[in-house]
Amino acid sequence: MADENVVWHEHAIDKNTRSQQKNQKACVLWFTGLSGAGKSTVAGAVEQRLHQLGVHTYLLDGDNVRHGLCGDLGFSDDDRKENIRRVGEVAKLMVDAGLIVLTAFISPHRAERQMVRGLLPEGEFAEVYVDVPLDICEQRDPKGLYKKARAGEITNFTGIDSVYEAPQSPEIQVENGERPLSEAVDQIIQYLEQHGYINR
């Protein structure tokens, strides 16, 4: 709830100043997809490439934020919504710092992804859909979570007993089934170059 005694303060050093210092345009790359699609893997590989290019970044990973920032949340729809809200606000602060922020979250609901998009000015949010069919994700099952979900040991698991709403018009769609990781990275780097986020 808004408090009339809490007032936003403008500062002399702003987002544009910080971005210019870094020779880049700040934005959020929001990686979404089913568990096992490879969101963290692709996002991590993109961040490594950007680091090699001298780009200033930060990667927010779904599992990692649940060790601290969102450690008090479960996996109900309400908790998932709050998880994404918190991450969106952190990502917004990091964009204000002039960074290119990569986030790897299942973020199963379109409304929550749209909510984060709405936190940022036009052109500072790019949805990256890591598109892998459920059967391939389930075959991969790197954490054994699908097996547990099928056995009823985990409830509210996306793709099994909880819905995943795929993006309808993502800025970037990465098909990460049999495709080499390097091709996915190249696709995303090319997008960032073509839209003026990074310069080489």
Side-chain angles (χ1 to χ4, degrees):
M1 184 175 290
D3 186 330
E4 63 181 14
N5 297 313
V6 179
V7 179
W8 183 266
H9 290 272
E10 296 293 342
H11 298 285
I13 303 301
D14 62 10
K15 175 170 51 184
N16 290 334
T17 305
R18 297 182 191 105
S19 294
Q20 288 170 6
Q21 185 183 53
K22 297 173 178 64
N23 191 33
Q24 62 190 47
K25 180 181 173 184
C27 70
V28 172
L29 292 174
W30 190 276
F31 291 77
T32 179
L34 292 168
S35 178
K39 299 177 298 299
S40 293
T41 300
V42 176
V46 170
E47 187 180 39
Q48 288 180 48
R49 180 79 66 81
L50 289 172
H51 179 74
Q52 292 168 358
L53 295 172
V55 177
H56 298 258
T57 63
Y58 197 88
L59 172 56
L60 292 165
D61 180 82
D63 281 355
N64 291 358
V65 299
R66 283 184 176 271
H67 281 85
L69 177 69
C70 299
D72 59 326
L73 300 176
F75 291 91
S76 67
D77 280 351
D78 284 346
D79 278 1
R80 286 182 164 200
K81 181 177 181 179
E82 175 60 11
N83 182 58
I84 296 305
R85 187 195 70 79
R86 292 182 192 180
V87 170
E89 291 289 352
V90 170
K92 179 182 176 182
L93 289 172
M94 290 183 166
V95 166
D96 194 56
L99 301 175
I100 291 180
V101 186
L102 304 93
T103 72
F105 293 84
I106 294 172
S107 47
H109 301 117
R110 292 188 191 109
E112 276 75 67
R113 300 193 301 266
Q114 184 61 37
M115 178 267 296
V116 177
R117 184 187 291 273
L119 292 174
L120 297 156
E122 183 74 25
E124 291 185 4
F125 180 95
E127 191 172 41
V128 184
Y129 177 29
V130 184
D131 183 10
V132 179
L134 176 62
D135 59 333
I136 294 179
C137 292
E138 199 162 354
Q139 287 169 25
R140 291 176 177 175
D141 204 10
K143 303 173 189 174
L145 299 178
Y146 283 101
K147 185 177 180 181
K148 289 180 180 179
R150 291 291 187 190
E153 297 172 25
I154 299 177
T155 57
N156 298 319
F157 191 78
T158 305
I160 304 300
D161 60 349
S162 185
V163 68
Y164 177 74
E165 298 172 348
Q168 295 175 318
S169 54
E171 279 76 10
I172 306 169
Q173 184 160 339
V174 174
E175 295 180 1
N176 193 39
E178 305 302 323
R179 188 180 181 189
L181 179 60
S182 60
E183 289 186 12
V185 173
D186 288 343
Q187 178 185 354
I188 296 166
I189 296 297
Q190 185 178 49
Y191 174 90
L192 291 172
E193 290 178 333
Q194 288 176 345
H195 290 81
Y197 296 102
I198 62 174
N199 303 291
R200 277 209 264 185

